[in-house]
Amino acid sequence: MPKRPEGPRRALPRPVPARRAADAPFPTREEIMDYIQSSPVPVGKREIARAFNITGDGRIVLKELLKELEGEGSIEKGEGRRVAVPAALPEVAVLIVAEVTPDGEVLARPTSWAHEAPPPRIYMAAEKRGHPALAVGDRVLARLSRQPQPGGEEDIYEGRTMRKLDGGTATRIVGIYERARDGGRLKPVDRRAKAEFAVADANAEGAQAGELVVAELLPSSRLGLKQVRVVERLGSIEEPRAVSLIAIAQHAIPTQFAKAAIEEAEAAPEPTVEGRTDLRDIPLVTIDGEDARDFDDAVFAEPDTDPNNPGGWHLLVAIADVSFYVRPGMALDRNAFDRGNSVYFPDRVVPMLPEALSNELCSLKPEVNRACLAVHMWIDAHGRLKRHRFVRGLMRSVARLTYTQVQKSRDGAPDDLTGPLMERVINPLYGAFAVLQKARDARGTLELDLPERVVKLDEAGTIQSIGVRPRLDSHRLVEEFMIAANVAAAEALEAKHSPCMYRVHAEPARDKLEALRQFLGSLGYTLAKGQVMKPILFTRILNKAAETPEADLVNTVILRSQSQALYQPENIGHFGLALPRYAHFTSPIRRYADLVVHRALVKAYGLGPGGLDEEEAGRLVQVGEHISVTERRAATAERDALDRYVAAYLSDRVGGTFTGRIGGVTRFGLFVTLDETGADGLVPISTLPDDFYDHDEVNHQLVGRRWGRTYRLGTIVKVRLVEADRISGSMVFALLGEDTDDAPWLAGGKSDGKGGRARLTKKTAAKPQKAHSKRPPLKKD
């Protein structure tokens, strides 16, 4: 295994002004502001006075100047009367880990933030040796250092853990229990972990060698390895199911429901038509993947008969009425909130709700009565939403269809199930989809190409194949219906001035946008400066690049420039979808955010019991923060499991050669994505031809100083698989080609002084490779 790369390096200390003589002129406002702005931490009046040698009456003048700067908003005063630029973070703060990127960077955010603008990005430095790596959801007390960026770009921060706090997953370590001569050892499965841990026999809880276990970190003894205690045994690492179990345990995803929650779910009554609109005569259908088990949305469409809406359509989207069964204060609600969402793995689902609800009473199965919250929508011939109406209904799905079935029937090959539904159900759905697509095109959404890897297993859990999920029009059809329903939900709640849990997506941060603009410019694409940023601008560039060799590269860099979508009660719109308001309404079985929106609609429109209560309405900010974190936790766990499945699938092909593209460029190496499986692996910088490599973040490349060799994002490469670790999910590649195989001098020779280069010698071959970043290495690709 290559050595795990260190975290973001500490910035150099801020420059200190040359000390002035006692009779030197008092520093200007600009000099003092420059000092405050360049400081990585808030500074006090005493530090400023010392830096500029201000004494005597000059300190009174300094005090007045700082008060004036604060009054005009140029600086803010924080803890201990220390000052910093507006919206700066304090020197020490409580943070929560929000994301671990595919490149291994840990991003955190402050647990409290009182400003309207989003908080600055915080990159956490690597944990000290012997301490478990941070995971999504961990809470830490951290020392922060601001990293001012050039050209007026948004500042970023480096965080260093001082102490891990209760309420996170940081003290949990998932690993393989092994035996050594002096006792037990725990080898962490986390690829970012640096060290093993000692397990005393008294703390092993009967674990056997080769067993997957969860352990807790014990108080440090300061000598030798850190000690841990086994708290849960998960079974042999050789079992196929171990892959998902690792991800579940590592990210502390709850898997057990409280007894009271299970009892509440099993006692839930069958729905009746009382207090509901009867929708059972409408031929609603569900359309999902072949392996889906919970069906929470059904759709129907027909031409609008209103003569004032020629070419328009009437749409009906019916969603499982989870709010009727899961109400505030119930054990079911507490468990659902803790999970935040369902988590999907190739071999299982960790559901947000017990099976009695998620797979039965709230699943819109065909030919059975089901409670639903439904929205009637009327759209015009251009796909624009004219009006909508929400009802609490009783429905009866006429068929459970798959995306493939629906697409085949549309393409002229209906089967026994879809054939009778063509005229009344399937063709009208596609008719409405066509006009919804017009509206999407007109508003100019961000159309990124995001292939989804699919792992297929047999009944024993053995991997059969890994590929990319096809993207069909039937997928887009359902997506457009769901987007329309989500918009209607947000509009309906705004019309009633009701609290709402919005799904928000901010436009790209200024620093990311400027870096993207420079990079696209180097490829000949223009992203004009100063114009109002709209997603259609990105889509136009993507369309221009579509038939060119750099299409994948452009898609990747635009994707990486985007902000993360979040849940919050304050609406800032959805940039990617080009929508002024948007709320998740269509999946309450698997997302808590949708359940909150359902409750708000029930309350706002007087649709019966189960509405949003005052207590929950008063803490929507905290709810949004929590479910945004659980969403990131689920995404990270799913990605980790997929990486382990892929590594296991390729483990018997070590030594084989593959084609792929450079999908990530970091200061510690290159990440290559294979064409065949979508697998990602690292080419360590230490294995590149010997040179001192500059990490050019703007242009997403490593550039050798000596020979000028360049490795750029999106470049097609050929690699040899050196290592595939199914436990950690990491893969290591070696680049192949003339640089490494056919031209030995390219691997580290020196100039011969005559325009050529000397051949590789033992001395130069032993020379370690280096990497260097031109800019602070906190901002990642």
Side-chain angles (χ1 to χ4, degrees):
M1 287 285 290
K3 182 180 178 183
R4 179 191 180 278
E6 293 294 329
R9 291 175 292 177
R10 216 150 168 66
L12 294 174
R14 64 179 182 274
V16 178
R19 292 186 63 82
R20 296 165 178 253
D23 58 350
F26 191 84
T28 65
R29 287 168 54 99
E30 289 73 20
E31 288 174 320
I32 290 178
M33 276 301 301
D34 183 62
Y35 178 78
I36 295 171
Q37 288 172 337
S38 65
S39 172
V41 296
V43 294
K45 183 178 70 174
R46 183 178 299 177
E47 292 171 276
I48 300 173
R50 188 183 300 120
F52 289 97
N53 198 22
I54 300 173
T55 59
D57 292 343
R59 290 177 176 263
I60 298 175
V61 177
L62 175 61
K63 181 179 179 180
E64 293 301 316
L65 175 58
L66 293 178
K67 186 181 295 184
E68 184 179 326
L69 290 171
E70 183 184 3
E72 67 186 31
S74 297
I75 61 173
E76 288 183 345
K77 187 176 292 184
E79 189 175 345
R81 297 186 178 182
R82 300 169 76 82
V83 297
V85 293
L89 292 171
E91 187 173 1
V92 175
V94 176
L95 309 176
I96 185 167
V97 176
E99 181 187 8
V100 178
T101 71
D103 293 347
E105 292 286 8
V106 179
L107 280 75
R109 58 177 176 78
T111 55
S112 60
W113 181 252
H115 302 277
E116 291 185 5
R121 285 179 293 150
I122 305 170
Y123 287 90
M124 298 300 296
E127 297 300 285
K128 295 178 181 177
R129 182 173 294 278
H131 290 261
L134 295 175
V136 173
D138 286 346
R139 295 172 67 250
V140 298
L141 181 68
R143 189 172 300 281
L144 298 174
S145 175
R146 186 163 56 91
Q147 313 290 312
Q149 299 298 295
E153 295 178 5
E154 218 171 88
D155 291 342
I156 54 180
Y157 282 76
E158 176 195 50
R160 289 185 177 269
T161 301
M162 299 169 63
R163 185 172 73 251
K164 289 170 182 154
L165 305 175
D166 294 336
T169 62
T171 57
R172 293 170 55 94
I173 304 162
V174 182
I176 310 300
Y177 178 77
E178 298 174 346
R179 294 296 302 174
R181 284 183 299 177
D182 57 346
R185 293 286 185 272
L186 184 70
K187 180 181 179 182
V189 297
D190 192 331
R191 72 187 74 178
R192 297 170 294 137
K194 292 182 177 181
E196 294 184 352
F197 297 85
V199 186
D201 289 344
N203 293 327
E205 295 296 323
Q208 303 297 309
E211 198 168 15
L212 183 65
V213 301
V214 181
E216 286 183 346
L217 189 66
L218 296 174
S220 174
S221 63
R222 296 196 176 189
L223 295 174
L225 296 176
K226 292 279 185 179
Q227 293 278 334
V228 295
R229 176 177 59 244
V230 173
V231 295
E232 186 178 359
R233 297 168 59 188
L234 302 177
S236 172
I237 191 62
E238 300 299 327
E239 295 182 16
R241 72 190 191 99
V243 173
S244 296
L245 288 176
I246 291 173
I248 291 168
Q250 189 174 356
H251 296 281
I253 294 171
T255 58
Q256 300 297 319
F257 288 101
K259 182 181 178 182
I262 294 175
E263 291 174 350
E264 288 171 352
E266 292 177 346
E270 290 285 339
T272 66
V273 76
E274 184 179 354
R276 296 180 177 275
T277 301
D278 195 340
L279 304 173
R280 288 176 290 181
D281 290 336
I282 299 176
L284 287 151
V285 295
T286 61
I287 306 175
D288 294 275
E290 281 80 0
D291 54 354
R293 296 176 62 193
D294 52 348
F295 315 122
D296 49 10
D297 56 80
V299 292
F300 170 76
E302 62 183 356
D304 190 0
T305 57
D306 185 351
N308 295 319
N309 188 26
W313 291 83
H314 167 225
L315 281 56
L316 180 62
V317 174
I319 307 298
D321 190 2
V322 176
S323 64
F324 181 75
Y325 300 104
V326 183
R327 302 184 187 181
M330 293 176 67
L332 271 171
D333 184 52
R334 291 192 295 272
N335 279 193
F337 174 76
D338 288 343
R339 295 171 185 233
N341 41 257
S342 298
V343 189
Y344 295 85
F345 300 103
D347 65 334
R348 75 190 70 206
V349 176
V350 181
M352 188 180 79
L353 300 173
E355 190 169 336
L357 290 181
S358 61
N359 291 349
E360 295 299 332
L361 205 53
C362 288
S363 186
L364 306 181
K365 294 183 174 183
E367 303 302 335
V368 291
N369 290 345
R370 286 292 181 258
C372 66
L373 194 60
V375 55
H376 291 273
M377 295 175 286
W378 289 267
I379 60 176
D380 64 19
H382 301 286
R384 294 175 298 211
L385 187 60
K386 293 175 64 68
R387 60 189 178 95
H388 47 71
R389 178 167 58 89
F390 284 84
V391 298
R392 213 167 194 172
L394 186 71
M395 62 160 287
R396 191 177 180 90
S397 169
V398 298
R400 177 270 200 264
L401 305 177
T402 68
Y403 293 113
T404 304
Q405 261 185 313
V406 172
Q407 190 62 52
K408 284 183 177 179
S409 69
R410 179 65 174 178
D411 293 340
D415 57 25
D416 292 342
L417 182 58
T418 56
L421 299 174
M422 289 300 299
E423 290 305 315
R424 191 179 178 198
V425 178
I426 295 177
N427 286 339
L429 286 175
Y430 275 92
F433 165 56
V435 297
L436 287 172
Q437 189 65 42
K438 284 184 185 178
R440 183 186 184 99
D441 294 341
R443 70 176 185 267
T445 59
L446 179 56
E447 302 290 350
L448 289 165
D449 181 18
L450 304 175
E452 181 185 354
R453 284 184 292 173
V454 180
V455 175
K456 292 187 178 180
L457 309 175
D458 61 18
E459 292 183 359
T462 305
I463 306 170
Q464 295 297 297
S465 66
I466 296 177
V468 176
R469 191 185 301 277
R471 179 75 167 154
L472 306 173
D473 275 350
S474 54
H475 289 100
R476 298 182 178 91
L477 181 156
V478 174
E479 180 181 293
E480 288 304 314
F481 272 67
M482 298 305 111
I483 289 173
N486 289 336
V487 170
E491 287 185 358
L493 290 174
E494 283 192 5
K496 288 287 188 177
H497 305 288
S498 167
C500 178
M501 183 62 74
Y502 292 97
R503 178 65 167 181
V504 300
H505 182 226
E507 66 179 57
R510 284 181 300 168
D511 59 327
K512 287 188 176 183
L513 200 56
E514 182 55 35
L516 175 65
R517 182 179 286 112
Q518 293 180 41
F519 178 70
L520 291 175
S522 72
L523 296 177
Y525 300 99
T526 301
L527 190 62
K529 207 168 186 176
Q531 64 183 329
V532 176
M533 192 50 53
K534 295 180 179 180
I536 187 63
L537 301 176
F538 295 122
T539 299
R540 287 172 183 165
I541 292 174
L542 290 167
N543 291 337
K544 277 186 182 179
E547 302 302 324
T548 67
E550 67 262 14
D552 288 341
L553 171 60
V554 172
N555 192 87
T556 299
V557 295
I558 288 179
L559 170 63
R560 293 185 177 186
S561 73
Q562 302 304 306
S563 303
Q564 277 191 345
L566 301 169
Y567 293 110
Q568 64 182 43
E570 180 186 357
N571 182 31
I572 62 170
H574 196 293
F575 177 79
L577 292 174
L579 292 168
R581 60 192 61 80
Y582 192 66
H584 275 164
F585 160 76
T586 55
S587 297
I589 290 178
R590 61 183 180 90
R591 291 189 305 226
Y592 195 84
D594 304 55
L595 176 56
V596 172
V597 170
H598 277 228
R599 289 172 175 166
L601 288 165
V602 168
K603 173 73 172 179
Y605 286 88
L607 299 177
L612 190 70
D613 63 22
E614 294 296 329
E615 181 183 352
E616 187 172 22
R619 60 184 184 92
L620 285 187
V621 171
Q622 292 78 15
V623 172
E625 291 175 349
H626 171 74
I627 59 180
S628 294
V629 169
T630 59
E631 179 186 42
R632 297 273 75 77
R633 177 181 70 181
T636 304
E638 291 168 356
R639 185 179 67 221
D640 285 355
L642 200 56
D643 287 345
R644 290 186 174 95
Y645 271 112
V646 172
Y649 183 64
L650 295 177
S651 60
D652 60 353
R653 298 175 67 180
V654 170
T657 59
F658 304 85
T659 57
R661 291 179 181 269
I662 296 177
V665 180
T666 73
R667 63 188 179 281
F668 51 83
L670 308 170
F671 282 92
V672 173
T673 302
L674 302 185
D675 295 335
E676 181 184 345
T677 59
D680 291 302
L682 176 68
V683 177
I685 200 166
S686 60
T687 67
L688 296 178
D690 185 37
D691 207 335
F692 195 102
Y693 288 92
D694 287 317
H695 178 207
D696 182 351
E697 292 184 90
V698 172
N699 292 304
H700 304 275
Q701 59 190 15
L702 289 177
V703 182
R705 287 188 178 182
R706 182 181 299 168
W707 313 128
R709 187 181 287 104
T710 299
Y711 300 101
R712 195 179 203 185
L713 187 73
T715 302
I716 298 173
V717 293
K718 194 172 185 179
V719 296
R720 180 176 65 252
L721 179 58
V722 176
E723 180 180 311
D725 188 339
R726 66 186 185 87
I727 305 302
S728 67
S730 63
M731 285 184 287
V732 179
F733 297 132
L735 284 181
L736 299 179
E738 63 177 5
D739 284 0
T740 52
D741 292 348
D742 302 330
W745 61 266
L746 285 175
K750 295 184 178 180
S751 170
D752 62 5
K754 300 177 183 179
R757 294 182 174 87
R759 293 185 64 82
L760 186 67
T761 66
K762 288 184 179 179
K763 185 176 180 181
T764 57
K767 182 179 177 181
Q769 288 77 17
K770 302 175 183 178
H772 172 73
S773 181
K774 292 180 179 177
R775 298 171 64 186
L778 297 178
K779 286 173 56 183
K780 304 313 298 171
D781 297 310

